[in-house]
Amino acid sequence: MNEHTYVAIMAGGVGSRFWPASREAKPKQFLDITGDGRSLLRITFERFLKVTSADKIFIVTNGKYQQQVLEHLPEITENQILCEPSRNNTGPCVAYTAFKLRAIDPEANMVIAPSDALIMNEMLFADNINKALKYTAENDALLTLGIAPDEPHTGYGYIQFLGEGGADGIYPVQRFTEKPDLKDAKSFLKSGDYLWNAGIFVWRAETVLKAYEQHAEEIYALLSQGMSCYNTDKEQGFIDEFYPQTPSISVDYAIMESAKNIFTIPAQFGWSDLGAWGALYGESPKDDAGNVIHAEKVVIDDVHNTYIRGPKDKLIVVGGVDDLLVIDEGDVLVIYPRSREQEIKQLRSRAGEKFGERYV
């Protein structure tokens, strides 16, 4: 493990498409979504212990979740938790992290990744990350792991890479495309030179801050004012004042679409973005009828291709249905077609407006 290797895990979202399991008070990164007894945050943290030591893993989250992070990750300190006072997307989040890590170590080489990805082959994942870290340590490069697509998915961003310019499995990136329509997604899949954008980035803190200074001047100007505050008792006060003033923008739009020094590693370590119930259904073992059941007391009859989740002490009886989501969280029960799972986010908003915040 290189002494200059750091990891930042982004864990500040609310996971609204995983409602009603994911709530504002306890979002999906703190839930045992996979059923193995660990939260998604804990799984991600343990995955990165193959890359660096616990004292060099940082968590970027909303300030209200600081205590929950410490409960799930007792190995880390409060200084390893970056508390955002507002949700301004990943652009300001990445810049804040880079400023903080560069203040700790001017040679910091960092990985920044979401807390909700499912990785099937963690050893291959670690190999890819270490290859990326070696490259960015030696080059002024912004590097992203791209996932070889197996379907024309319209919910992911795409990375077009230049196959003829690669060396040692690392290729220059020609462009990023955010969530295309189905026609373009099919075209991308057919071309063979597009990858899914997994949102897993590797770069030196100094390199990415140069990109912000050049392409996202407003974010850089605001957060660079805190250089004397990072990793001191003045940091949180500075962030509470200046971070909400940053524009709400993704790191892709902020710098990746404009920078020229972008590279990618086409990865095949078994990745799934657990953005919604359908992704979890797709990656879970199924019975002979195509059902996924995450509940202990269940009676089913003539049920096919359905996801069922319920409390341990509740009997759930389901019959004569196909392709449904049946999610029982005790105080909220959702029964909805799997094919319309993207509508759950809007249903959550309607439920909150009608019955109050306790249900969202």
Side-chain angles (χ1 to χ4, degrees), residues 60 79 118 125 168 287 305 315 358:
V60 191
N79 190 52
L118 183 65
F125 172 79
D168 193 28
D287 65 18
N305 306 312
L315 174 62
R358 60 168 290 193

Side-chain angles (χ1 to χ4, degrees), residues 162-178:
L162 299 173
E164 69 277 6
D168 193 28
I170 299 174
Y171 300 91
V173 169
Q174 182 166 332
R175 66 165 177 159
F176 280 76
T177 302
E178 275 296 292

Side-chain angles (χ1 to χ4, degrees), residues 78-342:
E78 288 191 9
N79 190 52
Q80 289 170 256
I81 306 174
L82 287 70
C83 294
E84 301 168 300
S86 58
R87 292 189 173 108
N88 288 25
N89 213 317
T90 56
C93 161
V94 170
Y96 172 21
T97 305
F99 274 117
K100 182 178 177 71
L101 293 183
R102 189 182 66 173
I104 293 173
D105 179 356
E107 297 181 57
N109 197 15
M110 58 185 278
V111 182
I112 191 154
S115 61
D116 56 358
L118 183 65
I119 305 293
M120 304 305 293
N121 189 332
E122 296 198 345
M123 291 306 298
L124 181 56
F125 172 79
D127 288 345
N128 283 179
I129 291 290
N130 286 323
K131 177 192 286 190
L133 285 163
K134 183 177 186 299
Y135 189 83
T136 55
E138 299 170 353
N139 300 274
D140 283 329
L142 305 174
L143 196 147
T144 179
L145 298 191
I147 308 301
D150 56 15
E151 62 174 322
H153 204 297
T154 58
Y156 300 149
Y158 283 73
I159 304 163
Q160 185 180 24
F161 68 100
L162 299 173
E164 69 277 6
D168 193 28
I170 299 174
Y171 300 91
V173 169
Q174 182 166 332
R175 66 165 177 159
F176 280 76
T177 302
E178 275 296 292
K179 298 179 181 178
D181 59 27
L182 184 59
K183 180 182 178 181
D184 284 342
K186 288 180 177 179
S187 173
F188 294 167
L189 187 66
K190 186 177 181 180
S191 74
D193 59 354
Y194 280 83
L195 305 167
W196 285 334
N197 180 9
I200 303 171
F201 302 103
V202 184
W203 42 49
R204 282 186 290 121
E206 182 65 26
T207 301
V208 75
L209 287 175
K210 286 179 182 177
Y212 273 92
E213 188 174 18
Q214 183 177 358
H215 303 295
E217 297 176 12
E218 185 178 359
I219 294 175
Y220 185 89
L222 283 165
L223 298 184
S224 64
Q225 296 176 65
M227 288 182 182
S228 64
C229 301
Y230 295 118
N231 304 297
T232 75
D233 57 6
K234 297 179 181 179
E235 177 179 328
Q236 195 61 54
F238 168 79
I239 287 298
D240 287 347
E241 179 179 355
F242 287 90
Y243 194 91
Q245 300 177 41
T246 61
S248 181
I249 187 173
S250 71
V251 66
D252 304 271
Y253 285 128
I255 61 171
M256 300 300 279
E257 288 195 347
S258 302
K260 304 301 181 186
N261 55 333
I262 305 177
F263 296 81
T264 189
I265 296 176
Q268 292 182 315
F269 41 67
W271 171 89
S272 177
D273 169 30
L274 291 182
W277 291 110
L280 180 59
Y281 171 86
E283 297 297 332
S284 299
K286 300 169 183 63
D287 65 18
D288 292 341
N291 300 309
V292 174
I293 299 176
H294 286 165
E296 293 187 0
K297 298 178 179 179
V298 178
V299 176
I300 59 174
D301 183 67
D302 190 25
V303 176
H304 305 272
N305 306 312
T306 290
Y307 178 89
I308 300 173
R309 173 186 171 96
K312 292 181 179 180
D313 59 348
K314 191 164 190 176
L315 174 62
I316 299 175
V317 181
V318 183
V321 299
D322 297 288
D323 299 296
L324 281 186
L325 296 171
V326 180
I327 306 161
D328 190 336
E329 291 296 317
D331 61 337
V332 179
L333 169 65
V334 170
I335 302 172
Y336 217 67
R338 281 200 305 112
S339 61
R340 295 167 58 187
E341 65 166 359
Q342 296 300 321

